[in-house]
Amino acid sequence: MAGRAKGALWYTVFLAGALPFLGLVGVASFGSLGADPAKTLTHQTGTWAMNFLLLCLAMSPFSTYLKMPKLVSYRRQLGLWCYFYVCLHFLVFLALLIEFNPANMAKELVERPYITVGFGGFLLLTIMAITSIPRLIRAMGARRWRRLHKVVFAVVVLACIHFIWLSRSSLLEATVYSLLFGVLIGMRLYYYRERLQRQAATA
Amino acid sequence: MKEKARNEKESQVTPQAIYQGRRRFVATAAAVAGGAWLVNQYGLSSTKEKGQTVAQSPPPPASPSKPAATPSAPASATKKSATQPDSVVTSGLDVRLAGHSKSTRYTENARDKTTPVGIATTYNNFYEFGTDKSDPARHAHRLTLRPWSVTIDGLCHRGGVFDIDDLVGAHALEERIYRLRCVEAWSMVIPWIGFEMRDLLKRVEPMASAKYVAMQTVYRPDEMPQQRSLFRTIEYPYVEGLRLDEAMHPLTLVTVGMYGQRLYPQNGAPIKVVVPWKYGFKSPKSVVRITLTDKQPPTTWNMQSAREYGFYSNVYPARSHPRWQQTSERRFISEGGLFNTKRIETLPFNGYGSEVAHLYQGMDLINRYY
């Protein structure tokens, strides 16, 4: 974390975050994004945002499950990678699908519910990303920061609805992601209950 | 129907490479298929064997445009037979495709450039083969295209079960370059080869009581994996329908070819109905049944979500859709590049308003008959 020396694992996580982006840039520059590059890019960036959101949410329960408390310290970086791909996702949407037309954008926000929901998730993530600047974290204090960042659960819900509503052809992918999020949240609830019981026992 | 005087020559409309490629192809196809036709005439071929795929098929159609397309052409384009057209050599069809007349009626205006064949055959919605746009090109080769029969029944005097080659053989083929507008807000321009559906319907003599035409895509779960998938979002077989006067409209085409050759399986081989002023899903692929009825027939997407997909589903920008903006569309005009797709304004009835708007006089196409 901030201030401390960055270990090999930190660089591994960083590389893992950057790789999908580099891959996309590579594929795009060699022109093999398929017949509909805009669609390929929105789908890819959206998928990677989901992947990092999943990873981010997996850190806390798995640190308990694997007894590796250090895992939690990579959560913030994974969250920022998620935000990075969400930003790309939004940018590709704005540039290639909306073509930076504000009237179009307004229309999309109002008439396409899955876009409204997706945009809501983007705004929440923006708040989380801004408050993740080290100086702001310190100013807020760890407790308040952690409380604020519980909005990630709202982001998860919005992301899943966004994915389900935009699926026309097959619900497979959206279903799998929603289930995985469900499992991660279930794990949290389970450990939370255990902790409460332990506290009750010691009290 | 007003005959439109249009000045453009086809060579101005179609990308040069494809145009010249087609000419080249036509010569070879005529040679190859001509032989097959002769064989067939004298009853020497084993044409009715199921699943027959013949090696001496026409060269893959993608080849003419390949030089320009190399980096971006999906890998599948080169390795699988799926990207080749319906290539069973059975009859004089190829000869007739080569010799089809080029109609200048309805031919596109200067705004529209024909979509490269490499895009039109690798970016498809044919959910029976998978829901990704690239799935049909990869899997549609599994579809057995011969023997193929089309049942025409219901309220008509001369219905029956017709072998496709007999059915098509009775009609002169012509090329029509039509815009294709998908409800997903993308569009292409495709040179189809076929004949007007009204000529087919007249042959079976519809009864006075017939008001609608129901159409059905082939149901073959063995060959079409999505038809048995747990995650399918629509029910099969795929069914579509038109009002009889829509089906009888001269723009409504029964197609057997595209880009100067047979239809590709991913585009609906061996026989596809094309209704250019309606969203693409109203143009059913791989048709096996056409039924004349007096009731509005059920249609697949309408059953899946009646609010989103109406029976009419005319391209109609004034009616908003919860998933896609219908006031504009992304036109695929060339391969690969990130900025080669243009967003253009969507026209009512896909630009065929002067031909078809009268069919819907006095109807509320936004709230009631969408």
Side-chain angles (χ1 to χ4, degrees), chain B residues 298-369:
Chain B
T299 59
T300 295
W301 280 105
N302 180 251
M303 289 188 280
Q304 200 263 358
S305 177
R307 197 175 57 92
E308 290 182 51
Y309 315 101
F311 173 78
Y312 285 92
S313 287
N314 293 311
V315 175
Y316 207 66
R319 175 172 160 83
S320 163
H321 188 279
R323 291 170 205 268
W324 306 280
Q325 187 159 341
Q326 302 300 13
T327 52
S328 60
E329 65 202 47
R330 292 179 308 119
R331 172 71 55 85
F332 298 145
I333 48 171
S334 64
E335 309 194 42
L338 208 49
F339 300 99
N340 285 341
T341 304
K342 279 224 165 64
R343 194 174 262 286
I344 57 175
E345 186 195 357
T346 294
L347 303 172
F349 305 106
N350 204 18
Y352 299 100
S354 59
E355 280 94 356
V356 300
H358 68 91
L359 296 173
Y360 310 101
Q361 214 123 54
M363 293 171 69
D364 176 358
L365 296 180
I366 296 178
N367 300 307
R368 179 85 178 83
Y369 300 102

Side-chain angles (χ1 to χ4, degrees), chain B residues 225-238:
Chain B
Q226 278 295 309
Q227 288 184 336
R228 51 190 150 84
S229 162
L230 273 179
F231 291 93
R232 61 175 183 262
T233 50
I234 53 176
E235 292 306 315
Y236 298 103
Y238 191 89

Side-chain angles (χ1 to χ4, degrees), chain A residues 36 97 104 108 112 168-169, chain B residues 123 184 233 321 325 343:
Chain A
D36 189 356
L97 296 177
N104 264 352
E108 293 287 318
R112 242 71 51 197
R168 177 200 188 205
S169 49
Chain B
Y123 190 88
E184 297 167 348
T233 50
H321 188 279
Q325 187 159 341
R343 194 174 262 286

Side-chain angles (χ1 to χ4, degrees), chain B residues 15-228:
Chain B
Q16 205 64 22
I18 291 173
Y19 178 74
Q20 289 171 342
R22 176 158 66 222
R23 277 292 138 87
R24 220 182 312 124
F25 162 72
V26 160
T28 39
V32 172
W37 178 76
L38 284 173
V39 166
N40 196 47
Q41 287 304 297
Y42 294 97
L44 297 173
S45 76
S46 53
T47 55
K48 299 291 188 252
E49 272 172 34
K50 193 173 151 57
Q52 181 194 28
T53 41
V54 172
Q56 43 156 275
S57 54
S63 53
S65 62
K66 225 173 246 164
T70 325
S72 56
S76 61
T78 48
K79 64 177 186 221
K80 273 275 155 55
S81 58
T83 45
Q84 293 177 8
D86 160 11
S87 58
V88 189
V89 178
T90 49
S91 68
L93 178 57
D94 300 288
V95 178
R96 300 182 55 238
L97 283 172
H100 69 266
S101 69
K102 287 195 196 309
S103 167
T104 48
R105 265 198 306 172
Y106 314 117
T107 288
E108 282 313 313
N109 54 48
R111 168 179 122 137
D112 303 297
K113 278 172 83 180
T114 307
T115 301
V117 64
I119 287 184
T121 57
T122 55
Y123 190 88
N124 308 100
N125 278 330
F126 198 165
Y127 284 1
E128 282 85 339
F129 294 108
T131 53
D132 194 86
K133 294 283 182 289
S134 60
D135 283 336
R138 272 186 277 139
H139 302 303
H141 64 94
R142 292 193 212 168
L143 185 63
T144 308
L145 300 170
R146 293 292 189 284
W148 191 281
S149 55
V150 180
T151 305
I152 306 183
D153 58 4
L155 303 173
C156 58
H157 294 289
R158 313 196 58 174
V161 181
F162 303 91
D163 176 76
I164 186 172
D165 295 309
D166 301 338
L167 185 99
V168 176
H171 298 273
L173 301 180
E174 68 172 286
E175 178 172 83
R176 297 264 183 95
I177 301 175
Y178 279 169
R179 289 177 287 267
L180 162 70
R181 170 62 156 81
C182 180
V183 71
E184 297 167 348
W186 53 263
S187 62
M188 299 184 183
V189 178
I190 297 181
W192 302 105
I193 300 172
F195 52 92
E196 292 177 5
M197 193 178 197
R198 61 177 173 172
D199 293 335
L200 178 62
L201 293 172
K202 277 182 203 153
R203 268 173 66 204
V204 300
E205 295 175 11
M207 296 175 185
S209 53
K211 295 283 178 286
Y212 294 92
V213 177
M215 299 170 286
Q216 193 186 104
T217 294
V218 69
Y219 182 70
R220 286 199 201 139
D222 295 342
E223 297 178 352
M224 301 171 131
Q226 278 295 309
Q227 288 184 336
R228 51 190 150 84

